[in-house]
Amino acid sequence: MATKLAVITTHPIQYYAPLFRHLAEGDVLDVRVFYGWEGPSTGDYDPGFDADVTWDIPLLEGYPYTFVENEAADPGTHHFRGIVTPGLVPAVEDWGPDAVLMFGWNYWSHLRALRHFSGRVPMFFRGDSTLLDEQPGPRRWLRRRVLRWVYRHVDVALYVGENNRAYFEAHGLSDDQLAWVPHAIDNGRFADPEGTPERDAQAWRQELGVPEEAAVIVFAAKLSEKKAPDLLLQAFSQLEVPSVHLVVAGSGPLGDELRAAYGGRDRVHFVGFQNQSRMPVVYRLGDVFVLPSRGPGETWGLALNEAMACGRAVVASDKVGGAPDLIESGENGFIVPAGDAEPLANALRRLVTNDDERRRMGEASRRRIQEWSMARAAERHEDVVQEHLR
């Protein structure tokens, strides 16, 4: 008989729905996902994009789920009391799980459920936090004490990479409480066996006025301080390579300012917010993908996974949590210091002026990301739960 695993998470997310489908398709775990908020699955204002967002790919198909009523006055994931679901614990208990997997603890309902189920059923925890933004001082000391108390309620933490593992270790979890699961995307959705996204991207490049032989850099993320598109535009201005173009996909609080400063340049193209179904084309607009985040809070950077699945060389800052796991500098891209335009410009200059190296790195990205597949992530979840229960 399959092990009953209750998954507690905030709302349908494009990165986790494929994982839940993979788990539901297997015969190892009997999964039910408990949501506390509908979120952008049905349309909602996203302050990061500074726009109403409704994802255009299915997020609720292929796995069983329950929406628990959220009584929050201001529902959402932007504050602790944004997920207030008094019915969560009774709903999970009524289902009768053998184990619970919780995504994130820092909401009223999640912390309440974590405390309730700890010691009653095995508690698995998944989050992608890192220590990259920590500053020394009393606040760090206090936060460490609070988090050590929180994680005492966890039996096994599923860490997604080396920065995430260091975070869990710093908060008291031992080796036998830590298990790796890859932070994966649906690689197949970004593959291009028929060549359709590539053809669409080439047609779009022509519409933008990009010459066929030009090297193109792509940024695709929220136009926010955290993601640092302003730093990328500054580095692009320093390249002094007259043939290279830059495509900026996304919207956000910095959008108007950046368009005013750079929108009149004929080699800088702002293409606005692009929904999920369009992203395999967006990444193929360019030859190099850049995530120059300065933080705080760039805990992983799943856009790197997506760009690598599209066979692109990637450049990321050292504030991007997943960079050391996904990027081997000189092999499939480069990791550069955050907040400094000069080393970013140097890395980009090397890539846009060397066609062979750029293509080689793109192929290396495609190979490397195969280990970070959704099938592998589902397999690791199954193995870890079964091993612990045994």
Side-chain angles (χ1 to χ4, degrees):
M1 182 179 295
T3 299
K4 296 184 72 174
L5 179 68
V7 178
I8 296 174
T9 188
T10 55
H11 63 291
I13 295 174
Q14 68 271 28
Y15 296 118
Y16 294 142
L19 171 63
F20 301 152
R21 282 195 286 270
H22 272 77
L23 291 173
E25 289 168 359
D27 56 8
V28 176
L29 300 176
D30 177 9
V31 173
R32 175 166 286 273
V33 181
F34 293 84
Y35 289 119
W37 179 50
E38 290 188 345
S41 61
T42 56
D44 197 50
Y45 178 76
D46 188 315
F49 283 116
D50 193 24
D52 290 330
V53 173
T54 302
W55 299 126
D56 65 351
I57 59 173
L59 302 183
L60 295 171
E61 295 180 1
Y63 63 93
Y65 61 88
T66 298
F67 278 106
V68 184
E69 183 180 358
N70 189 0
E71 299 180 5
D74 179 18
T77 56
H78 55 293
H79 66 126
F80 178 74
R81 295 192 63 84
I83 310 291
V84 179
T85 54
L88 174 62
V89 167
V92 174
E93 285 190 325
D94 286 348
W95 189 63
D98 301 306
V100 173
L101 168 61
M102 179 172 290
F103 284 69
W105 66 268
N106 55 331
Y107 304 100
W108 183 90
S109 289
H110 285 213
L111 185 57
R112 182 171 178 265
L114 182 64
R115 295 178 65 190
H116 176 85
F117 287 112
S118 177
R120 289 182 167 89
V121 296
M123 176 61 67
F124 297 85
F125 181 86
R126 180 164 165 176
D128 55 10
S129 297
T130 74
L131 304 174
L132 293 176
D133 302 311
E134 268 200 341
Q135 300 294 327
R139 291 184 65 181
R140 183 178 75 170
W141 176 83
L142 178 60
R143 181 172 174 79
R144 288 276 181 98
R145 285 181 62 88
V146 170
L147 288 172
R148 280 177 170 266
W149 171 78
V150 168
Y151 291 121
R152 280 204 296 268
H153 298 85
V154 171
D155 292 300
V156 179
L158 310 180
Y159 71 91
V160 295
E162 63 177 64
N163 280 319
N164 186 215
R165 181 185 175 101
Y167 165 88
F168 284 126
E169 289 175 335
H171 295 111
L173 290 166
S174 59
D175 281 351
D176 60 357
Q177 292 179 282
L178 295 170
W180 175 74
V181 298
H183 210 348
I185 55 130
D186 185 359
N187 289 344
R189 190 165 73 82
F190 292 87
D192 191 14
E194 306 292 331
T196 303
E198 187 66 47
R199 287 191 294 271
D200 290 346
Q202 291 303 317
W204 196 356
R205 281 169 59 123
Q206 289 180 357
E207 292 174 12
L208 294 172
V210 178
E212 186 175 345
E213 69 280 1
V216 179
I217 299 164
V218 166
F219 171 92
K222 296 174 180 178
L223 304 185
S224 63
E225 286 285 341
K226 169 180 162 180
K227 301 290 186 178
D230 52 327
L231 184 75
L232 173 57
L233 283 156
Q234 182 183 342
F236 180 78
S237 300
Q238 297 176 12
L239 282 183
E240 298 178 348
V241 181
S243 61
V244 67
H245 286 242
L246 171 64
V247 172
V248 178
S251 61
L254 297 182
D256 290 343
E257 174 187 335
L258 296 177
R259 283 186 176 87
Y262 297 96
R265 305 189 184 189
D266 58 4
R267 291 185 293 114
V268 177
H269 312 276
F270 289 89
V271 298
F273 170 80
Q274 302 294 320
N275 217 315
Q276 288 297 302
S277 64
R278 190 68 167 162
M279 292 310 297
V281 180
V282 171
Y283 291 115
R284 288 178 171 85
L285 284 173
D287 310 284
V288 179
F289 175 74
V290 186
L291 189 60
S293 305
R294 60 169 63 92
E298 191 66 274
T299 53
W300 183 263
L302 284 164
L304 291 177
N305 297 59
E306 295 176 342
M308 290 170 64
C310 293
R312 267 44 191 174
V314 288
V315 178
S317 80
D318 56 7
K319 284 286 189 177
V320 176
D325 300 281
L326 298 179
I327 302 175
E328 183 177 347
S329 281
E331 180 62 27
N332 69 315
F334 296 101
I335 301 174
V336 297
D340 192 340
E342 185 174 351
L344 177 56
N346 291 339
L348 294 175
R349 188 179 298 110
R350 174 172 168 178
L351 286 168
V352 300
T353 57
N354 191 324
D355 296 350
D356 290 340
E357 183 174 41
R358 192 171 64 242
R359 281 191 286 268
R360 175 184 63 78
M361 288 189 178
E363 286 305 311
S365 283
R366 196 193 312 274
R367 291 192 301 271
R368 190 179 185 91
I369 205 62
Q370 297 314 304
E371 271 299 299
W372 302 78
S373 69
M374 200 58 73
R376 179 72 171 133
E379 177 187 326
R380 286 295 300 147
H381 279 82
E382 293 169 348
D383 290 347
V384 171
V385 171
Q386 292 295 89
E387 288 170 10
H388 183 77
L389 292 183
R390 281 198 294 269

